[in-house]
Amino acid sequence: MTITLSDSAASHVRKFIDRRGKGVGLRLAVKTSGCSGLAYALEFADDAIPDDLSFESKGVTVFVDPKSLTFLDGTELDFVREGLNEGFKFNNPNVKDKCGCGESFKV
C-alpha cells in the first residue's frame, strides 16, 4: 500500500510548509460527500495522529487514516496548472466513476 506525490506536488507542499513556518506533512483522507459518494479531504498536518499510516514521498510525509487508505491505495497526488487555474489532482487507480461536477467519486 502506498501514496505518492509527483515532483510538482512535493515541491508545492514543501514550499507551503516552509511559508507556514510549521507542519510535519500532508494529511489525505476521504469523506462521504457529493453525488458519487466520496470526496477527497486534504490538509496540512501539524502533528501525527497515532492511528495514521505515514508514507514518505520526495521529502514529504503523507498521513492517511486506515479507513481512507482502502480507497486511496496507489494514488499519486499531483499539482497542476491549467491556464489561470492551479490545484491538486488525484490520480487514483481505484476510482470507478466520477460525478459530473468533479467533486466526488466512487470506487
Side-chain angles (χ1 to χ4, degrees), residues 7 11 18-19 29 31 33-34 56 62 90 92 98 103 106:
D7 290 335
S11 175
D18 287 345
R19 280 195 301 250
K31 61 182 180 176
S33 180
E56 187 75 23
V62 180
F90 299 87
N92 185 342
K98 297 178 186 177
E103 293 297 318
K106 66 180 165 181

Side-chain angles (χ1 to χ4, degrees), residues 30 35-38 40 70-73 75 90-100 104-107:
V30 295
C35 48
S36 289
L38 299 170
Y40 298 106
T70 302
F71 304 105
L72 297 171
D73 183 31
T75 296
F90 299 87
N91 298 315
N92 185 342
N94 305 301
V95 171
K96 302 291 186 230
D97 196 17
K98 297 178 186 177
C99 70
S104 64
F105 65 98
K106 66 180 165 181
V107 294

Side-chain angles (χ1 to χ4, degrees), residues 13 15 21 28 37 43 53 55-56 59 62 67 70-71:
V13 170
K15 287 177 187 174
L28 178 59
E43 66 183 12
L53 302 163
F55 302 91
E56 187 75 23
V62 180
K67 180 182 170 193
T70 302
F71 304 105

Side-chain angles (χ1 to χ4, degrees), residues 36-91:
S36 289
L38 299 170
Y40 298 106
L42 184 65
E43 66 183 12
F44 290 94
D46 291 331
D47 53 16
I49 295 174
D51 289 340
D52 279 353
L53 302 163
S54 64
F55 302 91
E56 187 75 23
S57 180
K58 300 183 177 153
V60 175
T61 303
V62 180
F63 299 97
V64 181
D65 67 271
K67 180 182 170 193
S68 294
L69 186 57
T70 302
F71 304 105
L72 297 171
D73 183 31
T75 296
E76 180 197 46
L77 185 60
D78 195 9
F79 187 80
V80 296
R81 288 186 175 94
E82 296 172 349
L84 298 175
N85 299 316
E86 65 181 18
F88 287 104
K89 179 180 177 185
F90 299 87
N91 298 315

